[in-house]
Amino acid sequence: MIDVSIEAVVFDLDGVIIDTEEVWEEVRRDYVAEHGREFRPDSQDRMMGMSTGEWSAHLADEVGVPRTAEQVAADVLGRMAGRYRQDLPLIPGSVETVRALGARYRLALASSSARILIDQVLATAGLTGEFEVTLSTEEVPRGKPSPDVYLTAVERLGLTPAVCAAIEDSSNGLRSATAAGLTVVAVPHGVYPPAEDALAGASLVVKAITEVTPEAIAGL
């Protein structure tokens, strides 16, 4: 068996660098309620990892919000951007972890957030210059759990999945990175824990992002 060393680390954003899953749920639930509709029981789980086009279509077509998917996306993203401007919910230690890993590995970011939100978060957190590649699922054919965003991020780094590690928190994110063939590190979210089948693909499961050290990546 050939020993392959990790050369790059691909970060997820929501749930790994910023703790926004509850903010997303609150904003979308309030938005749906304002339009006289109710979340489906599986809506939150299904939308975690979906691209902007996919979750906005879910709210418009399946939940029944009387707006087009494009209008839903614009409305919700505007509210999310407003929340970020008020208070960016950085996960403790995430900025330091990005910089520590960046001192040893090449870095990319593969997120389900819209480009406008990715750019704002990185600028506010002072992380824009840390990543060689940043990619939104808006910019690939399919969102997570499909592997598209990870495969494209790795391709833009000029590497193969075999020499890249992914850091993920959600079921669909873990499934996406696993399907793409990256070595997966899971940082399960306390409120939205990933499914067991999704965790099964992880080579390392940690309790906090601060445990993902350069030494931990080197040991994968």
Side-chain angles (χ1 to χ4, degrees):
M1 187 175 188
I2 299 174
D3 183 23
V4 177
S5 297
I6 298 299
E7 297 180 26
V9 178
V10 186
F11 279 80
D12 178 36
L13 181 65
D14 295 271
V16 171
I17 295 175
I18 51 175
D19 193 6
T20 56
E21 299 297 359
E22 290 180 83
V23 180
W24 274 107
E25 180 171 6
E26 179 185 335
V27 166
R28 290 191 288 213
R29 279 189 181 276
D30 288 348
Y31 179 73
V32 167
E34 287 171 18
H35 287 87
R37 301 294 189 271
E38 292 185 4
F39 253 36
R40 294 168 55 125
D42 63 347
S43 286
Q44 179 61 20
D45 285 342
R46 288 179 58 187
M47 287 190 292
M48 289 177 72
M50 281 186 176
S51 67
T52 302
E54 290 167 337
W55 63 251
S56 60
H58 172 77
L59 293 181
D61 301 337
E62 297 187 50
V63 176
V65 173
R67 303 269 284 167
T68 66
E70 291 77 12
Q71 290 170 327
V72 168
D75 293 344
V76 173
L77 290 176
R79 295 185 184 200
M80 288 297 297
R83 292 288 291 269
Y84 287 0
R85 283 192 292 270
Q86 293 172 8
D87 182 23
L88 185 63
L90 287 165
I91 291 175
S94 62
V95 170
E96 293 79 5
T97 298
V98 169
R99 289 178 176 152
L101 292 180
R104 183 162 173 178
Y105 301 98
R106 299 173 66 188
L107 299 185
L109 185 140
S111 173
S112 298
S113 277
R115 168 57 61 184
I116 187 174
L117 297 183
I118 292 173
D119 291 346
Q120 181 176 317
V121 169
L122 296 183
T124 301
L127 292 175
T128 301
E130 298 293 333
F131 296 94
E132 289 185 45
V133 173
T134 63
L135 194 63
S136 166
T137 52
E138 288 182 329
E139 299 158 351
V140 296
R142 299 171 297 174
K144 302 172 185 178
S146 294
D148 302 27
V149 70
Y150 277 103
L151 290 173
T152 303
V154 168
E155 181 182 6
R156 291 188 182 180
L157 286 171
L159 299 173
T160 64
V163 296
C164 296
I167 305 176
E168 272 286 359
D169 68 301
S170 70
S171 294
N172 284 341
L174 292 165
R175 292 173 181 134
S176 174
T178 300
L182 282 74
T183 299
V184 181
V185 177
V187 189
H189 193 284
V191 179
Y192 306 100
E196 288 301 319
D197 74 283
L199 272 177
S203 296
L204 176 65
V205 180
V206 299
K207 294 182 179 179
I209 189 63
T210 51
E211 295 179 42
V212 189
T213 61
E215 293 74 23
I217 295 296
L220 295 173

